[in-house]
Every structure is written in C-alpha cells, then in structure tokens.
Amino acid sequence: AQSVSQHNHHVILSEAASLELGCNYSYGGTVNLFWYVQYPGQHLQLLLKYFSGDPLVKGIKGFEAEFIKSKFSFNLRKPSVQWSDTAEYFCAVTPRSGNTPLVFGKGTRLSVIA
Amino acid sequence: SAVISQKPSRDICQRGTSLTIQCQVDSQVTMMFWYRQQPGQSLTLIATANQGSEATYESGFVIDKFPISRPNLTFSTLTVSNMSPEDSSIYLCSVGVTGSGDGYTFGSGTRLTVV
C-alpha cells in the first residue's frame, strides 16, 4: 500500500522567510499528488495538485510544488511566508489507476512569527 | 466538481450510543470515501464505499464499529457505534472527480464529541 511521509512535524519561520516542506511517497506506479492546507478551525483547502505534465506546479496563495519522480518527492515551497500562512499542511497521494482514495501524510504544522 | 452535503455538522453524544452521518452528493459517483481526523492529527481513511457492495475497511477499522451504507450512487451513511470518548473526531466523506478539476471533493465534516 502507498504511504506518504512528511518529515517536518512543526516548522517555525519568521515572516518573509522562505518555506520548503518535504513530502515523499512510496508507490511504484503513476500517481496524482496534492497539497492541502487547513487553517485553524477550518476545513481542508486544496493548495495545488499534480496530475501530469510540467513537474513544477503553481497553486494558490503563492505556493508551488515540484514533482521529482526519481526521488518520489513532491515538496511544497513558498518564497516569502506571511503570518496568515500559519496552518497545517497535508501532502496526499493517490495512484492514477482508477477511483482510489487519497492517502494523507501526517501533516506539517507551520507557525509564522512576526 | 461535485458538491457534497454532509450532516450533522456537529454533535455531542453520550458514550455507548450511536451516531449516523449522512453524505449526499449532487452527482452520481462510483466510490465514496470516509475519513476520520482525530484532534491534531491527519486524515485517516476508514473505508471505501462502492454502491451495491460491502464497504472495504482499512486496517484498524471494522464494520461492527463503523457500519456503512451505500444505497445508491449519490448517498452514503457512516455510523459510529457504541461510542466512547476516543471516537471524538471529525468525520469526513469524500468523492473523487475523474478528469480535470480539483480531483477530490470533501464534505464539510462532522465534529463529534463523545462525553
């Protein structure tokens, strides 16, 4: 079964710092990859997704992610974080083989301080 | 993309009782997925519900505790049975969207507190 690893449990950054959150997955076949954000007390919100094509994907709120197939990675980046980016970030994967559920990583809590 | 109506949005229940959560989708979908999000945790898949067959449960989840119904292609229910405080979580349903779009749609969640 596929699994998703998010190595950073809690990241603390100052405003304007650059962000990179790691995500690695274990699955030998073709996958669809997602990043979701969950602001405190709110529902999941899709940041970006990768299905195929350009491995550098741009999402909402200035986030981007790069799919590196050889490394089984899909790291999330943002050049300059804001206090409002404080949230929980979840990486998720599903095989591109049919109607299958998303498998989520454990999440990374991002705290942005002024 | 599909729109899911999930209810109830929250409930406080006594231990030993059961709660049934409903999800209604505005279009026909083959598979529906049920997740649990425990406080401060990620989403964990409970089961996959396919219309016309028994749900497929993930390791650690059993039908007696989390019975699921899928009577048609737009509706599913998840029951949390014989509840204990450890069942206090957010429960969400989800459907996949084939082709382009968001990929997956989630219900708004049911926040369950067991006292």
Side-chain angles (χ1 to χ4, degrees):
Chain A
Q2 65 268 26
S3 64
V4 179
S5 297
Q6 293 182 245
H7 309 295
N8 309 105
H9 177 65
H10 187 193
V11 173
I12 303 173
L13 294 173
S14 299
E15 279 194 312
S18 64
L19 169 72
E20 180 160 1
L21 301 182
C23 173
N24 289 90
Y25 65 93
S26 65
Y27 183 71
T30 307
V31 293
N32 292 336
L33 296 153
F34 303 79
W35 275 99
Y36 285 87
V37 60
Q38 189 172 36
Y39 298 101
Q42 297 191 24
H43 304 307
L44 281 178
Q45 181 178 358
L46 179 68
L47 274 179
L48 48 80
K49 62 185 185 293
Y50 173 78
F51 286 176
S52 63
D54 188 344
L56 185 61
V57 181
K58 295 192 184 299
I60 62 171
K61 303 178 187 283
F63 287 91
E64 65 179 31
E66 184 175 12
F67 170 53
I68 302 179
K69 187 176 181 180
S70 61
K71 296 185 178 180
F72 298 89
S73 69
F74 190 55
N75 292 355
L76 181 71
R77 300 194 292 247
K78 186 172 184 179
S80 175
V81 295
Q82 302 172 309
W83 177 82
S84 58
D85 293 322
T86 295
E88 191 87 19
Y89 291 81
F90 297 98
C91 181
V93 64
T94 187
R96 201 187 311 163
S97 58
N99 201 344
T100 53
L102 284 175
V103 175
F104 286 84
K106 291 189 181 300
T108 297
R109 182 152 55 103
L110 173 63
S111 299
V112 180
I113 56 178
Chain B
S1 58
V3 175
I4 301 176
S5 173
Q6 182 174 344
K7 58 183 181 182
S9 60
R10 58 178 64 229
D11 207 340
I12 301 173
C13 300
Q14 296 290 324
R15 67 175 66 201
T17 63
S18 298
L19 175 72
T20 295
I21 301 166
Q22 300 180 1
C23 278
Q24 178 75 51
V25 189
D26 68 347
S27 58
Q28 293 185 337
V29 293
T30 305
M31 299 287 195
M32 292 183 71
F33 312 111
W34 286 96
Y35 291 88
R36 179 177 72 182
Q37 186 176 25
Q38 295 177 299
Q41 304 288 320
S42 183
L43 278 74
T44 300
L45 181 66
I46 297 172
T48 298
N50 191 3
Q51 192 268 336
S53 62
E54 279 200 3
T56 301
Y57 290 82
E58 298 298 303
S59 176
F61 298 95
V62 295
I63 188 171
D64 290 345
K65 176 67 175 177
F66 298 101
I68 289 172
S69 77
R70 185 79 203 279
N72 56 54
L73 291 173
T74 64
F75 187 78
S76 180
T77 68
L78 169 76
T79 299
V80 186
S81 303
N82 188 24
M83 288 184 286
S84 66
E86 292 71 35
D87 294 320
S88 297
S89 295
I90 297 173
Y91 293 85
L92 302 104
C93 60
S94 176
V95 300
V97 178
T98 56
S100 61
D102 284 346
Y104 288 81
T105 299
F106 288 86
S108 54
T110 297
R111 183 179 294 273
L112 170 63
T113 301
V114 183
V115 298

